[in-house]
């Protein structure tokens, strides 16, 4: 019998896809340095509220769309194959890129535990990042492991997801509570609170990456055909997941800010990990590592499942070969999962820096999908739903502007823009060649 997802399964899936590796690594490498404590908090709160407006468009979609593929099939059915292809092409890279990103984050955890002893068999350097065969093998093992778990079906993957997300939530709360009680507050007050001056630029830097950090909420539409409750009730779960994400990103940023100035945090390989290890010892650090492993496995699991669902829908609509739309005895698109795994196995050979360039671009790809969903909601509803949908569409355009307008504090790096243009170019030629074969 095919496994159906209950409310806890869906909450775990969304949380695991929202509270990813970035919540543990970005406080030291980005948040404190660029936005501090208060501007980061404001950026996340505003970003969370913005995503809630966008979520209204998704609620309308959940009411009207009962197919796999989420945003893709919804756009295809309402705005035709060209627009549907744009959304599907955007989300394909957006979802799949998250899998190797989280898998390579596992390597960072192991390096923190065992030091540079895990770095052996140096191969080459790409974008200033050294690539070691040992790191590729570790990342590859994680990708293959979760491909195997997902092929076994939703029952196996949801059990792993629920367990790891429970550990993630509990351990982060424990670590934060101990740190906030034990650490003297003078450093965080003097460096981040007392002399704080509001800066829209600092807030915008956080707002610009919210589409990427919170893209996990839209894994819910991808699994809408596997729910054991009404699809429209999943909206409340998505909102809970969004604001839990806002809370946890801030808790981990504050935990790092308790110990480090923004300059010192930037010098640490993993500032949050060092802060916890140096102040509450090995037990606290172990709890943090377990939390990070929960976030990483949750991200891999969630996006591998979402990717396979999306690819299955693309196959159904003849955008890619029919074989990807065949379910195995466990009710999952096995060939789609294997395809996601194979593509993900290529990424570690490119080095983590190149993967990050691709993932940064995913903010823009996610915002494109957000816009389409909200625009369709605006076109197909009346009254308050119509008004909220147009607000969501405008917010999506704002996200895009923050990422591509020259001079914007959140503008994508040049390598990310180049990769974006290449992906769009490949998509254009693919569509031109195969559009006549599409459903």
């Amino acid at each position: 019998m095919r496994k159906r997802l209950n409310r806890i399964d869906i909450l775990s899936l969304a949380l695991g896809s929202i509270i990813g590796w970035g919540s543990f690594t970005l406080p030291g490498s980005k948040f404190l340095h660029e936005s501090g404590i208060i501007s980061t908090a404001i950026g996340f709160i505003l970003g969370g509220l913005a995503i809630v407006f966008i979520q209204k468009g998704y609620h309308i979609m959940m009411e009207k769309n009962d197919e796999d593929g989420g945003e893709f099939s919804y756009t295809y059915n309402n705005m035709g194959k060209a627009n549907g292809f744009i959304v599907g092409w955007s989300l394909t890279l957006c979802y799949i890129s998250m899998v190797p990103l989280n898998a390579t984050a596992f390597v960072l955890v192991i390096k923190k535990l065992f030091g540079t002893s895990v770095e052996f068999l140096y191969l080459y350097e790409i974008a200033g990042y050294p690539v070691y065969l040992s790191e590729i093998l570790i990342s590859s093992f994680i990708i293959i492991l979760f491909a195997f778990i997902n092929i076994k079906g939703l029952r196996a993957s949801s059990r792993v997801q629920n367990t790891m997300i429970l550990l993630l939530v509990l351990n982060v709360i424990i670590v934060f509570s101990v740190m906030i009680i034990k650490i003297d507050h003078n450093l965080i007050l003097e460096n981040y609170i007392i002399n704080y001056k509001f800066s829209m630029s600092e807030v915008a830097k956080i707002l610009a990456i919210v589409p990427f950090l919170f893209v996990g909420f839209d894994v819910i539409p991808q699994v809408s055909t596997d729910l054991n409750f009404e699809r429209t009730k999943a909206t409340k779960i998505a909102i809970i997941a969004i604001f839990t994400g806002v809370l946890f990103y801030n808790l981990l940023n504050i935990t790092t800010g308790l110990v480090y100035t923004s300059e010192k945090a930037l010098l640490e390989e993993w500032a949050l990990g060092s802060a916890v290890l140096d102040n509450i010892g090995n037990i606290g650090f172990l709890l943090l590592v377990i939390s990070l492993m929960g976030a990483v496995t949750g991200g891999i699991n969630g996006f591998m499942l979402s990717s396979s669902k999306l690819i299955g829908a693309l196959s159904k609509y003849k955008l890619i070969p029919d074989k990807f739309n065949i379910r195995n005895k466990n009710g999952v698109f096995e060939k789609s999962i294997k395809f996601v795994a194979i593509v993900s196995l290529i990424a570690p050979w490119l080095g983590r820096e190149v993967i990050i360039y691709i993932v940064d671009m995913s903010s823009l790809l996610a915002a494109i999908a957000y816009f389409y969903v909200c625009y369709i909601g605006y076109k197909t509803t009346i009254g308050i739903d119509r008004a909220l949908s147009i607000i969501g569409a405008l917010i999506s355009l704002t996200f895009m502007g923050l990422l591509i307008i020259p001079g914007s504090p959140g503008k994508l790096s040049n390598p990310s823009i180049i990769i974006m243009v290449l992906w769009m170019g490949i998509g254009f030629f693919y569509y031109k060649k195969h559009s006549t074969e599409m459903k």
Side-chain angles (χ1 to χ4, degrees):
M1 183 176 170
R2 190 170 151 192
K3 158 80 174 176
R4 293 284 174 177
L5 299 172
N6 59 35
R7 288 170 174 81
I8 298 298
D9 296 331
I10 289 298
L11 181 59
S12 295
L13 191 64
L15 279 178
S17 301
I18 290 174
I19 309 173
W21 69 277
S23 60
F24 291 82
T25 59
L26 291 177
S29 64
K30 182 176 178 70
F31 297 159
L32 292 178
H33 176 66
E34 295 186 356
S35 303
I37 297 290
I38 298 177
S39 289
T40 296
I42 294 171
F44 271 113
I45 292 168
L46 291 177
L49 291 170
I51 295 293
V52 168
F53 278 105
I54 292 170
Q55 171 60 30
K56 182 60 185 178
Y58 277 74
H59 177 76
I60 295 166
M61 178 178 72
M62 295 280 281
E63 288 180 326
K64 298 184 176 183
N65 189 55
D66 59 354
E67 298 182 26
D68 285 326
E71 301 97 317
F72 158 69
S73 56
Y74 183 56
T75 304
Y76 200 112
N77 291 327
N78 282 277
M79 296 186 67
K81 64 182 180 182
N83 291 298
F85 178 82
I86 291 170
V87 172
W89 192 253
S90 297
L91 288 179
T92 298
L93 185 60
C94 184
Y95 287 169
I96 292 179
S97 67
M98 300 294 186
V99 176
L101 179 76
N102 281 287
T104 54
F106 248 100
V107 177
L108 300 181
V109 177
I110 294 172
K111 284 170 70 174
K112 190 63 184 176
L113 289 171
F114 301 105
T116 56
S117 61
V118 299
E119 294 178 345
F120 57 87
L121 297 175
Y122 171 83
L123 298 177
Y124 43 76
E125 185 176 286
I126 296 183
Y129 188 91
V131 178
Y132 294 88
L133 182 60
S134 57
E135 297 183 359
I136 292 172
L137 293 175
I138 293 168
S139 301
S140 299
F141 171 76
I142 296 299
I143 292 167
I144 293 169
L145 173 63
F146 277 91
F148 175 78
I149 291 171
N150 276 274
I151 286 170
K152 288 295 182 182
L154 286 174
R155 189 179 304 277
S157 62
S158 62
R159 283 175 182 168
V160 172
Q161 187 85 1
N162 293 349
T163 302
M164 297 308 292
I165 298 309
L166 177 62
L167 292 172
L168 161 64
V169 170
L170 290 177
N171 288 345
V172 166
I173 291 172
I174 291 169
V175 168
F176 174 78
S177 300
V178 174
M179 289 285 285
I180 201 77
I181 292 169
K182 184 176 180 180
I183 304 298
D184 184 271
H185 295 174
N186 284 335
L187 187 146
I188 193 171
L189 289 172
E190 290 174 3
N191 285 278
Y192 300 107
I193 308 298
I194 293 175
N195 296 315
Y196 171 75
K197 294 181 180 178
F198 177 78
S199 168
M200 194 60 226
S201 174
E202 292 179 356
V203 173
K205 287 176 181 178
I206 302 299
L207 270 174
I209 61 171
V210 164
F212 151 59
L213 295 178
F214 284 64
V215 69
F217 87 88
D218 80 351
V219 303
I220 295 177
Q222 297 298 337
V223 297
S224 62
T225 58
D226 293 302
L227 306 182
N228 71 354
F229 58 96
E230 290 181 34
R231 295 193 310 276
T232 53
K233 292 182 179 178
T235 296
K236 293 179 181 178
I237 297 173
I239 292 173
I240 291 170
I242 289 165
F243 283 106
T244 302
V246 169
L247 173 63
F248 274 68
Y249 272 96
N250 280 292
L251 290 182
L252 293 167
N253 193 45
I254 292 168
T255 301
T256 311
L258 284 167
V259 178
Y260 293 119
T261 63
S262 59
E263 294 80 10
K264 288 185 177 179
L266 201 59
L267 297 175
E268 293 288 331
E269 185 176 7
W270 184 23
L272 174 61
S274 298
V276 171
L277 181 61
D278 293 343
N279 287 277
I280 58 177
N282 291 329
I283 294 177
F285 182 69
L286 179 61
L287 293 177
L288 184 70
V289 167
I290 292 171
S291 294
L292 176 53
M293 291 177 68
V296 169
T297 56
I300 295 172
N301 201 46
F303 286 111
M304 188 168 281
L305 177 59
S306 301
S307 299
S308 69
K309 289 281 192 177
L310 176 59
I311 290 169
L314 292 170
S315 176
K316 177 184 175 182
Y317 282 83
K318 310 297 183 184
L319 272 70
I320 56 177
D322 292 339
K323 64 182 180 180
F324 292 108
N325 191 40
I326 300 171
R327 296 181 187 269
N328 67 9
K329 63 181 182 180
N330 299 312
V332 299
F333 299 122
E334 182 172 339
K335 286 185 171 63
S336 294
I337 292 171
K338 288 179 178 178
F339 175 78
V340 173
I342 290 169
V343 174
S344 299
L345 287 169
I346 297 170
W349 294 85
L350 302 175
R352 187 168 170 80
E353 197 63 31
V354 174
I355 297 172
I356 290 174
Y357 289 148
I358 296 171
V359 170
D360 285 347
M361 185 186 72
S362 294
S363 277
L364 182 57
L365 299 176
I368 290 169
Y370 295 166
F371 171 76
Y372 269 101
V373 170
C374 292
Y375 178 73
I376 293 169
Y378 164 73
K379 294 289 286 184
T380 58
T381 58
I382 58 173
I384 188 66
D385 285 350
R386 183 181 174 90
L388 293 174
S389 293
I390 195 61
I391 292 172
L394 292 172
I395 289 171
S396 302
L397 290 173
T398 301
F399 281 142
M400 292 185 215
L402 287 170
L403 292 163
I404 60 176
I405 293 174
S408 166
K411 183 179 177 293
L412 291 172
S413 65
N414 288 334
S416 293
I417 291 174
I418 291 170
I419 295 170
M420 179 72 185
V421 172
L422 286 173
W423 185 246
M424 290 170 62
I426 294 168
F428 175 79
F429 287 110
Y430 184 91
Y431 181 80
K432 283 291 185 183
K433 182 176 180 180
H434 296 284
S435 61
T436 56
E437 304 165 15
M438 296 176 188
K439 185 176 175 180

